Amino acid sequence: MDQLNAPLWEALQQHRSHSKGNFHVPGHKAGQVFDHAAYPCFSELLSLDLTEIGQLDDLHAPTGVIYEAQQLAAEVFAADQTRFLVGGTTSGILASILSTCQPGDKILVSRHCHQSVFHGCWLAGATVIPVAYGLDPQSGLELPTSPEVVKYLLELYSDAKAVVLTSPTYFGVVQYIEQLAEIAHCHGIPLIVDEAHGAHFGFHHELPSRALAQGADIAIQSTHKLLPAMTMSSMLHIKEGLVDVANVDRYLKAIQSSSPSYPLMASLDLARRYMATEGKAQLAKTLEQIAVFRQRLQSISALRELHVKAEMDPYKMTLVSEYYTGYELAERLEEAGIYIELADVEKLLFVFSLGTTQTELDYLWTTLYQCHKSGRAQNKPKLMRPPELRAGEPLPYAECRNDQRLLVPLSQAIGQRSADHLMAYPPGMPLILMGETIQQEIVDYLLLLAHSGGSVRGFVQQDDGSYHVYIFKS
Ligand SMILES: Cc1ncc(COP(=O)(O)O)c(C=O)c1O
């Protein structure tokens, strides 16, 4: 296929030059009416914000330019089939799980997974078999899911319909996909990989290879997170065999808007063309710049990068400072105009991409240096590591879907069944899953995060500042 083409983008441009009368939605009529003050900024994008007319095809029944754009993407991402997503990776995860599980079906889900995976299981009424992970004793980062644990759980729950995991994790840890795929396939079930943070994988020899290339059956990627596509633009890649592709499409139709955004879809078409043409060179350039930055960082002795003994994504960097909590250093960086992906009590997560510039890296290094030059080891609060999470009991979401919920003070919730996922956000990995017993140790950890400026989803703050949570009425 000719990867220099961008059929959807080209069709939008042709439409723009041909259109002389606009009698269709959206109401801004390609920008003919819009807020005056914001118009100069929005105008170019509004002219592309069209709908299923002329030669612009239809995402839900593609036969023209969207079909071609998805075919081109499948070739570049080495998939048998690719679907464009306009509801983020979330929509692809929901459709993958809904198409795999009937109510009551069991599904193995790594506890590394983002809330969207657990939401998918909840909507499907599936029974989640949570797969635990360990924490690295030095860094406190999550270790990859153990293939032995998955093997053991699949022997125990041999009627499970799929295995779902996240690779790479938010902090860049890559899972043992090849072994896990082999184990899932021995049981005749698909391995679904949330590859939200790994759309750049496989494009350069210094990067981990793609989940699909290692045997995964479905990989859902947030093209918008690491590649040059607009927010909410993702792709779902499929290896045929164990996946009911028609059923995935059926659920995508149900989940995604019937008015998918053309700017978002065109940005996917263009991100694919970029990766097929200039991507490798840009990866090589930025990988080199980031490697040099990492070396320079060693001259700031109060800063340490966290690693685990597993393959890691070089575009993620997790730092700990001897002088500041994660929140304090993030605040200092913000004062200097530097915004990062995540901070918690202990650490900071930086996300690089093909768009990272040398100027930004130099400025980051200088700012970090300034912050640490005159600093001194502070009385930092005693750091708490996230508690180790066990491989839990099966969670039958079909049974608790309609259970009544009660909002109670945290102190009354200990030992009760949580009616919500409780998690730090970001990263959005539930520490207590809906249906699990609320444990004091995990609540203490989440409270520490909340009190030191972090955002905790699932805690409902009252007017007096105290926190309540939803539990299931027993
Ligand atoms: C690991 C992981 N999976 C899935 C998602 C959801 O992706 P999206 O925002 O593209 O819907 C996120 C979002 O942060 C994530 O971090």
Side-chain angles (χ1 to χ4, degrees), residues 32-82:
Q32 288 166 202
V33 57
F34 203 68
D35 180 273
H36 288 297
Y39 179 75
C41 195
F42 271 74
S43 63
E44 283 289 309
L45 213 50
L46 291 173
S47 71
L48 297 174
D49 188 28
L50 295 160
T51 189
E52 292 84 358
I53 41 162
Q55 301 304 308
L56 297 184
D57 208 1
D58 177 351
L59 178 67
H60 295 294
T63 53
V65 287
I66 296 179
Y67 175 82
E68 282 173 48
Q70 291 185 149
Q71 295 277 98
L72 284 160
E75 184 176 86
V76 166
F77 289 89
D80 291 332
Q81 306 238 17
T82 289

Side-chain angles (χ1 to χ4, degrees), residues 246-296:
N247 215 20
V248 174
D249 284 336
R250 186 161 75 111
Y251 281 102
L252 280 176
K253 224 174 270 170
I255 288 162
Q256 298 211 97
S257 170
S258 57
S259 312
S261 158
Y262 274 85
L264 295 193
M265 291 189 284
S267 83
L268 285 171
D269 195 22
L270 294 169
R272 181 274 314 156
R273 181 166 77 177
Y274 184 89
M275 292 317 290
T277 51
E278 299 161 69
K280 195 167 173 191
Q282 185 64 13
L283 283 168
K285 181 175 156 196
T286 49
L287 279 167
E288 168 74 19
Q289 288 170 329
I290 293 162
V292 171
F293 174 83
R294 278 195 160 91
Q295 270 178 355
R296 284 186 80 197

Side-chain angles (χ1 to χ4, degrees), residues 87-90 93 114 116 166 170 194 196-197 222 224-225 234 425 427:
T89 289
T90 300
I93 287 173
H114 183 256
S116 51
T166 298
Y170 207 67
D194 170 1
H197 293 267
S222 293
H224 66 93
K225 287 195 198 294
S234 290
Y425 204 95

Side-chain angles (χ1 to χ4, degrees), residues 324 326-338 367 370-372 374-375 378:
Y324 305 96
Y327 295 123
E328 285 167 350
L329 186 52
E331 213 177 300
R332 295 287 300 267
L333 292 176
E334 279 195 20
E335 281 163 16
I338 293 172
T367 311
Q370 295 292 347
C371 289
H372 290 84
S374 53
Q378 309 246 334

Side-chain angles (χ1 to χ4, degrees), residues 398-447:
E399 285 171 27
C400 66
R401 206 152 44 169
N402 298 320
D403 281 0
Q404 285 207 344
R405 305 193 309 162
L406 269 182
L407 188 63
V408 299
L410 266 180
S411 56
Q412 290 173 30
I414 307 300
Q416 304 288 333
R417 265 186 337 128
S418 179
D420 222 335
H421 300 305
L422 305 185
M423 71 195 88
Y425 204 95
M429 285 155 35
L431 294 182
I432 296 178
L433 296 169
M434 187 197 308
E436 275 190 320
T437 304
I438 300 177
Q439 297 163 48
Q440 184 76 57
E441 186 195 7
I442 299 175
V443 165
D444 287 347
Y445 174 75
L446 290 172
L447 269 176

